[in-house]
PDB file of all heavy atoms in Angstrom:
ATOM      1  N   GLY A 697      -4.779   9.507  10.753  1.00 94.00           N
ATOM      2  CA  GLY A 697      -4.126  10.302  11.783  1.00 94.00           C
ATOM      3  C   GLY A 697      -3.407   9.496  12.832  1.00 94.00           C
ATOM      4  O   GLY A 697      -3.391   9.859  14.011  1.00 94.00           O
ATOM      5  N   ASN A 698      -2.747   8.406  12.421  1.00 96.00           N
ATOM      6  CA  ASN A 698      -2.068   7.516  13.363  1.00 96.00           C
ATOM      7  C   ASN A 698      -0.579   7.417  13.049  1.00 96.00           C
ATOM      8  O   ASN A 698      -0.175   7.464  11.885  1.00 96.00           O
ATOM      9  CB  ASN A 698      -2.675   6.106  13.281  1.00 96.00           C
ATOM     10  CG  ASN A 698      -4.155   6.094  13.548  1.00 96.00           C
ATOM     11  OD1 ASN A 698      -4.588   6.254  14.681  1.00 96.00           O
ATOM     12  ND2 ASN A 698      -4.940   5.915  12.500  1.00 96.00           N
ATOM     13  N   ASP A 699       0.209   7.241  14.092  1.00 97.00           N
ATOM     14  CA  ASP A 699       1.598   6.844  13.949  1.00 97.00           C
ATOM     15  C   ASP A 699       1.669   5.356  14.285  1.00 97.00           C
ATOM     16  O   ASP A 699       1.473   4.963  15.444  1.00 97.00           O
ATOM     17  CB  ASP A 699       2.499   7.644  14.891  1.00 97.00           C
ATOM     18  CG  ASP A 699       2.549   9.118  14.522  1.00 97.00           C
ATOM     19  OD1 ASP A 699       2.460   9.438  13.325  1.00 97.00           O
ATOM     20  OD2 ASP A 699       2.680   9.959  15.432  1.00 97.00           O
ATOM     21  N   ILE A 700       1.928   4.534  13.282  1.00 97.00           N
ATOM     22  CA  ILE A 700       1.878   3.077  13.422  1.00 97.00           C
ATOM     23  C   ILE A 700       3.284   2.573  13.170  1.00 97.00           C
ATOM     24  O   ILE A 700       3.720   2.408  12.021  1.00 97.00           O
ATOM     25  CB  ILE A 700       0.853   2.488  12.437  1.00 97.00           C
ATOM     26  CG1 ILE A 700      -0.520   3.151  12.644  1.00 97.00           C
ATOM     27  CG2 ILE A 700       0.745   0.980  12.608  1.00 97.00           C
ATOM     28  CD1 ILE A 700      -1.528   2.849  11.553  1.00 97.00           C
ATOM     29  N   ILE A 701       4.019   2.340  14.246  1.00 97.00           N
ATOM     30  CA  ILE A 701       5.469   2.206  14.149  1.00 97.00           C
ATOM     31  C   ILE A 701       5.951   1.045  15.020  1.00 97.00           C
ATOM     32  O   ILE A 701       5.521   0.875  16.162  1.00 97.00           O
ATOM     33  CB  ILE A 701       6.159   3.515  14.601  1.00 97.00           C
ATOM     34  CG1 ILE A 701       5.739   4.671  13.674  1.00 97.00           C
ATOM     35  CG2 ILE A 701       7.673   3.382  14.623  1.00 97.00           C
ATOM     36  CD1 ILE A 701       6.161   6.032  14.162  1.00 97.00           C
ATOM     37  N   GLY A 702       6.838   0.228  14.457  1.00 96.00           N
ATOM     38  CA  GLY A 702       7.554  -0.776  15.243  1.00 96.00           C
ATOM     39  C   GLY A 702       6.745  -1.972  15.651  1.00 96.00           C
ATOM     40  O   GLY A 702       7.093  -2.672  16.606  1.00 96.00           O
ATOM     41  N   ASN A 703       5.660  -2.271  14.916  1.00 96.00           N
ATOM     42  CA  ASN A 703       4.828  -3.426  15.241  1.00 96.00           C
ATOM     43  C   ASN A 703       5.290  -4.659  14.466  1.00 96.00           C
ATOM     44  O   ASN A 703       5.965  -4.567  13.451  1.00 96.00           O
ATOM     45  CB  ASN A 703       3.369  -3.116  14.902  1.00 96.00           C
ATOM     46  CG  ASN A 703       2.865  -1.897  15.652  1.00 96.00           C
ATOM     47  OD1 ASN A 703       2.605  -1.953  16.846  1.00 96.00           O
ATOM     48  ND2 ASN A 703       2.749  -0.773  14.952  1.00 96.00           N
ATOM     49  N   GLY A 704       4.888  -5.850  14.956  1.00 94.00           N
ATOM     50  CA  GLY A 704       5.185  -7.096  14.269  1.00 94.00           C
ATOM     51  C   GLY A 704       6.356  -7.828  14.871  1.00 94.00           C
ATOM     52  O   GLY A 704       7.197  -7.261  15.564  1.00 94.00           O
ATOM     53  N   SER A 705       6.401  -9.126  14.586  1.00 92.00           N
ATOM     54  CA  SER A 705       7.457  -9.987  15.124  1.00 92.00           C
ATOM     55  C   SER A 705       8.326 -10.585  14.027  1.00 92.00           C
ATOM     56  O   SER A 705       9.076 -11.522  14.272  1.00 92.00           O
ATOM     57  CB  SER A 705       6.832 -11.105  15.959  1.00 92.00           C
ATOM     58  OG  SER A 705       5.915 -11.858  15.170  1.00 92.00           O
ATOM     59  N   GLY A 706       8.203 -10.070  12.800  1.00 91.00           N
ATOM     60  CA  GLY A 706       9.060 -10.532  11.722  1.00 91.00           C
ATOM     61  C   GLY A 706       8.425 -11.498  10.757  1.00 91.00           C
ATOM     62  O   GLY A 706       9.062 -11.926   9.800  1.00 91.00           O
ATOM     63  N   SER A 707       7.155 -11.862  10.958  1.00 87.00           N
ATOM     64  CA  SER A 707       6.464 -12.725  10.014  1.00 87.00           C
ATOM     65  C   SER A 707       6.142 -11.955   8.736  1.00 87.00           C
ATOM     66  O   SER A 707       5.894 -10.751   8.768  1.00 87.00           O
ATOM     67  CB  SER A 707       5.168 -13.242  10.634  1.00 87.00           C
ATOM     68  OG  SER A 707       4.324 -13.816   9.651  1.00 87.00           O
ATOM     69  N   SER A 708       6.112 -12.669   7.610  1.00 85.00           N
ATOM     70  CA  SER A 708       5.764 -12.028   6.336  1.00 85.00           C
ATOM     71  C   SER A 708       4.310 -11.580   6.297  1.00 85.00           C
ATOM     72  O   SER A 708       3.919 -10.822   5.405  1.00 85.00           O
ATOM     73  CB  SER A 708       6.044 -12.977   5.172  1.00 85.00           C
ATOM     74  OG  SER A 708       5.251 -14.148   5.285  1.00 85.00           O
ATOM     75  N   ASN A 709       3.486 -12.044   7.254  1.00 85.00           N
ATOM     76  CA  ASN A 709       2.091 -11.615   7.335  1.00 85.00           C
ATOM     77  C   ASN A 709       1.878 -10.489   8.343  1.00 85.00           C
ATOM     78  O   ASN A 709       0.781  -9.952   8.433  1.00 85.00           O
ATOM     79  CB  ASN A 709       1.190 -12.790   7.707  1.00 85.00           C
ATOM     80  CG  ASN A 709       1.161 -13.866   6.648  1.00 85.00           C
ATOM     81  OD1 ASN A 709       1.490 -13.619   5.503  1.00 85.00           O
ATOM     82  ND2 ASN A 709       0.792 -15.063   7.037  1.00 85.00           N
TER      83      ASN A 709
END
Side-chain angles (χ1 to χ4, degrees):
N698 303 287
D699 294 327
I700 305 168
I701 298 170
N703 302 286
S705 58
S707 166
S708 62
N709 295 340

